[in-house]
Amino acid sequence: MTTETTITFTIDGQTIEGRAGQSIMDAADQAGIYIPRLCDVEGLHPQGSCRVCTVKANGRSTASCTQPIEEGLEVENETRELRNYRRDLVRMLFHEGNHLCPICEASGNCELQAMAYRLGITQASKFPYLQPVRPLDASHPDIALDTNRCIRCGRCIRASKDIDGKHVFGYVGRGIEKQVGVNGSKLSKTNVSIEDYAISPDVCPVGCIIRKGEGFKTPIGARKYDQSIIGTDKKQPGN
Amino acid sequence: MAKSRIVEIDPVTRVEGHGKVTIHLDEDNNVDEARLHIVEFRGFERFIQGRLLWEVPVIVQRLCGICPVSHHLAAAKAMDVIVGAKHLTPTAEKMRRLMHYGQIMQSHVLHFFHLCSPDLLFGFDAPVEKRNIFGVIAEYPELAKQAVMMRKYGQEVIQVTAGKKIHGTGAIPGGINKNLSIRERDALLKDIDQMAEWARGALQVAKNYSVDNLSLVQSFGSFPSNYLSLVREDGALDLYHGNLRAINSQGRAIFDQIDYQHYHELLVEDVRSWSYMKFPFIKKLGRLDGWYRVGPLARLNNAGFIDTPEAAIAHQELKAVTEGKPNPTSLANHWARMIELLHCVEKIRELLLDPDLQGEDLVVKGERQEEGVGVIEAPRGTLIHHYRVDKNDQVTFCNLIVSTTHNNEAMNRAVTKVAKQYLSFQTKITEAMLNHVEVVIRAYDPCLSCATHALGQMPLEVELYDADGALLDRNSQHIK
C-alpha cells in the first residue's frame, strides 16, 4: 500500500519533511541536503554496503541510504565525528585496492577520488596498503574489467540484474577476498554488451569497468570533477 | 708499495636523477679507468605489460618529471601505428608539436641555466659555495629571472596542449584530446617576442662561452664518435618526427632516412654488469666501433639545415667552427642546446599563428596493427618506444631506449678522458677536480632515472678506498 503520510524529522537541527517509507538519504536529497555516498546511485535499489553515507539517527550509526525516516528522528550528518568515520572508510577503500589515480583513465570522473578530495584526504594514512594482485580482464572487444580499482559497491551487479535483466556481474569470495566477478570464465564469455546500462559511465563510480578506447578522450579541465566538488551542495565540509 | 685506489662521486650532482662515478687510480695515482654508474632500477618495460594500449602514453610518461612530454609523445606515436593512424589530422599533429617545442624549451632552459650555468659563469673550480644556482641568482639576477620566466612559458605551452604542466593527457592514440582555444593562443602570443629576445640572449651566452674558451672546449672531453638522430626527409632538423640518420666522425652517412619502425635492425643494446643502463651500438659497426652520441650537438651535426631563420644562421655559425665537419666536443652541446631553444621559440610562434590549431578534427584511426615504434627527439636526444599489443588491447612487449642510454658509452669515455686529464698523478684530489668530471657529464644533460625522487638534500660524497676496499678518506657536503 502506498502511503503519502508526511513525516517530519531533523538533519543537523534543520527540520525536514519526507514521505513514510523514504530513506533518510532520499528525504535529504529532496530537501537539498547532501549526504556523501559511493554505493548508492539514482535509479538503483540502495544496498547500504559502502557505509560512506553513515549518519547518526537518534544517536545510532546507520546507513542513510537504507534507513527509513521516522517521525521526530534526529539525524546527524555533517559532524566532525561522522566526517572522520567517512574519511577512514574512504581511506580503507584506497588501501584495499590498487588505486593509482595518476595513471587511471577514470581520474577526474572518479567518485572515489572526488569523495577523497571532498573529505580532504590528501596524503597517505595510517592503514597499510594491501596491494592485492588482481587480474585485468580485457577479453571482451568493447569492455575491460580492472578489479584492481573495484570498491565492491555492487552498482554494476544491481544495474545488470535490475535494469538490464542479465546478471553479468556478481560477488565471488568472502570477507576480504570478496570481489566482483562475471557470470562466465571471462567477460567475453558473458552476454554483456557495450549498450548495457551496467556499462554506462554513470554506473561504475571508479575505473573498474572500462569502455575500451575511450580513456583520456576528455581533456583535463573538462572532466566531471575538474571544476566542482562531488555532491549536490558543491562545497567542501569543514574538518 | 703504494696501492691502487678508487675515488667515488656519489651521487653526481646537478643532473636529473641518481648516478655515481668511480675513478680507478693505480699505484702511481694514474687514472686507470672511470665509470658512470646508473644505480637506479625502474622496471617500466616490465610492468607496462598487461596494461591497455591507450593507458600507455599516460603511464610511461611517469618515467620522468622533467621530460614527461617526450615519453608521452613517443608512446602516443607508437600507439598511432598500432591503431592504424597513418596520418594524424593537422590539428592533432600541430598540437603535439606545440607541446613538444614547449617541453624542449623548458627542459633546455632548466638544464642550461639551473644546472650548468654555475660552471660556465663562475668556472669549474670556483668555490662550491658560489658555484650553484643561488650564486647565479646573486650575481646574475637578470639571467636568473629570464631562466625562470622562460621555463614558466614552456610549461604553460605544455599546459594548454596536454592539460597539465606535468604529466598531462593530451596525446591519445590517433591524435589529441583538445585543440587550442583563441584565449589560450592569445595568452601565449602576448609574451612570445619577449621569449625570443631572451632565447637570443641565452644563445649569445652559450656561444660566447664556446668562442671565448675555444681551446678548453676543444680539448675538454672531446673525442670523435658517430652521431644519431631523426632528420626530416629533406635533411632538416626535426624534433618531432622524421627518419633515422647516423653519421661517422667525418660526417659520412652510416645509414640515412631509415624508417624508425626498423630501428631494431640497426641498433643493438649491450649489457654490462656494473650499470642498470644498457649500452646501445650500431649493429653493422659492432660493439667496439658502433657506439654513438645523441642530443643537441649530435642533432646539429646530423641536420643539413634548420628551417627557422634565426636558428638557421646560428646553426651555420656553429658548423663554421669545425668547417662543416661534425663537432666532436662535449661542451659545445651547450651552444647547440641554446640554438635549439631559439628554434623552439621560433616554432612556437609559427604554430601559434596557424589556424589549424583551432581545428575540431582531433582523432583518426585505421587498420589495427600488433606492433608499433614511436621515436621522437627528446631534449636529451633520440627516444625510442617500441610496443606489441595483443588482440585484447593489452601490451605484451615494451622496449624503451631513452636518450641518456644512447649516450652511455660516450659519457663513460668523456668521464675517463676528463679524469685522466685532471686527476692523474695528483696526490690530493679536491672537490674542484672532481667537479670537472661532473661538468663533462652535465654537458650531456643526462636524465639518469627519469623522475627521481631526490628532493631536499643532495649530498656529494667523495670517498677514497685503498686496493683492499678500506675507506681511507671521506669528504662530503650538502646543498639544500
Side-chain angles (χ1 to χ4, degrees), chain B residues 196-464:
Chain B
E197 188 184 325
W198 287 345
R200 284 182 211 112
L203 171 58
Q204 204 60 42
V205 172
K207 179 188 165 188
N208 287 351
Y209 183 84
S210 292
V211 172
D212 297 345
N213 300 279
L214 193 58
S215 61
L216 172 70
V217 171
Q218 285 177 334
S219 65
F220 189 83
S222 178
F223 44 85
S225 74
N226 307 307
Y227 302 93
L228 174 83
S229 73
L230 291 179
V231 290
R232 210 166 66 182
E233 284 183 356
D234 59 2
L237 174 75
D238 194 330
L239 299 169
Y240 176 75
H241 192 64
N243 293 316
L244 289 168
R245 170 184 283 178
I247 60 170
N248 66 14
S249 60
Q250 296 305 304
R252 282 192 288 277
I254 301 166
F255 52 76
D256 196 10
Q257 297 297 348
I258 305 292
D259 180 351
Y260 58 64
Q261 296 302 317
H262 306 293
Y263 84 95
H264 50 284
E265 295 165 16
L266 306 170
L267 305 176
V268 181
E269 290 181 280
D270 191 17
V271 178
R272 293 178 201 173
S273 61
W274 46 269
S275 179
Y276 280 123
M277 194 154 73
K278 293 177 182 173
F279 288 78
F281 60 90
I282 294 167
K283 199 184 222 173
K284 74 176 183 183
L285 297 182
R287 191 175 272 106
L288 290 179
D289 301 322
W291 59 277
Y292 51 87
R293 284 187 269 189
V294 301
L297 189 56
R299 286 193 284 255
L300 297 199
N301 281 339
N302 262 359
F305 67 100
I306 295 179
D307 68 347
T308 55
E310 292 189 65
I313 294 168
H315 184 213
Q316 290 308 312
E317 289 172 351
L318 174 72
K319 295 207 95 161
V321 174
T322 50
E323 298 173 339
K325 296 279 188 197
N327 189 318
T329 69
S330 291
L331 287 179
N333 262 303
H334 297 302
W335 187 357
R337 199 169 280 118
M338 291 301 96
I339 293 172
E340 288 190 340
L341 169 66
L342 183 57
H343 171 65
C344 287
V345 173
E346 290 183 286
K347 280 289 187 187
I348 290 169
R349 183 205 299 273
E350 189 181 302
L351 285 165
L352 290 176
L353 296 172
D354 189 331
D356 277 346
L357 286 179
Q358 279 77 52
E360 300 285 343
D361 199 3
L362 304 181
V363 183
V364 290
K365 279 189 179 171
E367 190 181 343
R368 176 65 187 277
Q369 307 294 314
E370 290 180 352
E371 188 164 4
V373 178
V375 178
I376 199 162
E377 282 298 328
R380 290 153 189 83
T382 312
L383 172 63
I384 299 173
H385 279 221
H386 180 191
Y387 302 94
R388 287 190 204 112
V389 176
D390 68 14
K391 62 180 173 49
N392 290 338
D393 301 321
Q394 290 177 282
V395 174
T396 58
F397 166 85
C398 167
N399 186 35
L400 312 174
I401 309 181
V402 304
S403 318
T404 301
T405 310
H406 295 291
N407 278 332
N408 202 358
E409 180 69 33
M411 286 191 293
N412 275 282
R413 289 187 183 237
V415 162
T416 301
K417 185 154 193 234
V418 170
K420 279 179 185 286
Q421 189 176 348
Y422 289 91
L423 272 66
S424 280
F425 310 116
Q426 301 287 343
T427 50
K428 178 80 176 170
I429 292 174
T430 65
E431 186 278 334
M433 288 177 197
L434 292 174
N435 187 50
H436 284 68
V437 176
E438 294 187 81
V439 165
V440 81
I441 295 169
R442 287 183 201 119
Y444 292 89
D445 188 9
C447 189
L448 302 183
S449 69
C450 286
T452 177
H453 54 274
L455 290 170
Q457 292 193 331
M458 291 287 287
L460 170 68
E461 288 194 3
V462 181
E463 296 179 337
L464 298 182

Side-chain angles (χ1 to χ4, degrees), chain A residues 102-103 105 136 138-139 144 146 149 210 212-213 215-220, chain B residues 51-52 54-55 58-59 62 162-164 168-169 172 177-178 392-394:
Chain A
I103 58 167
E105 64 184 84
L136 186 153
S139 58
D146 188 349
R149 303 164 181 167
I210 296 165
K212 280 190 171 182
F216 306 107
K217 281 194 170 173
T218 306
I220 294 169
Chain B
R51 296 314 309 179
L52 299 161
W54 53 90
E55 295 179 327
V58 176
I59 295 176
R62 296 273 165 178
K164 274 167 69 185
T169 62
I172 55 177
N177 69 12
K178 75 184 287 289
N392 290 338
D393 301 321
Q394 290 177 282

Side-chain angles (χ1 to χ4, degrees), chain A residues 8-39:
Chain A
T8 304
F9 69 108
T10 63
I11 298 181
D12 293 336
Q14 183 182 338
T15 302
I16 305 293
E17 286 188 348
R19 298 187 314 277
Q22 258 187 323
S23 69
I24 295 171
M25 181 185 284
D26 274 350
D29 282 345
Q30 212 163 32
I33 295 172
Y34 179 71
I35 301 174
R37 74 215 54 185
L38 285 174
C39 73

